[in-house]
Amino acid sequence: MPQFTSPRPLQVSMRKPRNPLVAPALHRQAGRHKSPQDAYAQRQQARLELRRLLRDRFPDDSP
């Protein structure tokens, strides 16, 4: 005696509900990092400026 089996319904892939806090985070991009040469040039510029300020403030009166 054959047994009747009804066809199973097709699996409908229900997507998970989206987290509204995650979507903006996925679209964010990191800022551009400065290259080591930029940092070196900035430090060198600050060093020269400090040297210039000190030279102007405390003049060297040596012969």
Side-chain angles (χ1 to χ4, degrees), residues 31-54:
R32 181 178 166 271
H33 294 283
K34 291 185 177 181
S35 69
Q37 288 81 19
D38 292 343
Y40 175 77
Q42 191 175 7
R43 284 194 306 270
Q44 185 180 25
Q45 192 69 23
R47 193 181 317 121
L48 291 174
E49 184 66 28
L50 179 63
R51 191 177 297 160
R52 202 173 297 123
L53 285 171
L54 289 173

Side-chain angles (χ1 to χ4, degrees), residues 6-57:
S6 63
R8 294 184 178 207
L10 293 175
Q11 290 282 343
V12 179
S13 62
M14 296 296 291
R15 296 183 68 170
K16 294 182 180 179
R18 290 188 154 227
N19 183 348
L21 302 176
V22 171
L26 293 176
H27 293 291
R28 253 182 245 133
Q29 292 183 353
R32 181 178 166 271
H33 294 283
K34 291 185 177 181
S35 69
Q37 288 81 19
D38 292 343
Y40 175 77
Q42 191 175 7
R43 284 194 306 270
Q44 185 180 25
Q45 192 69 23
R47 193 181 317 121
L48 291 174
E49 184 66 28
L50 179 63
R51 191 177 297 160
R52 202 173 297 123
L53 285 171
L54 289 173
R55 185 179 53 211
D56 294 343
R57 178 169 264 188

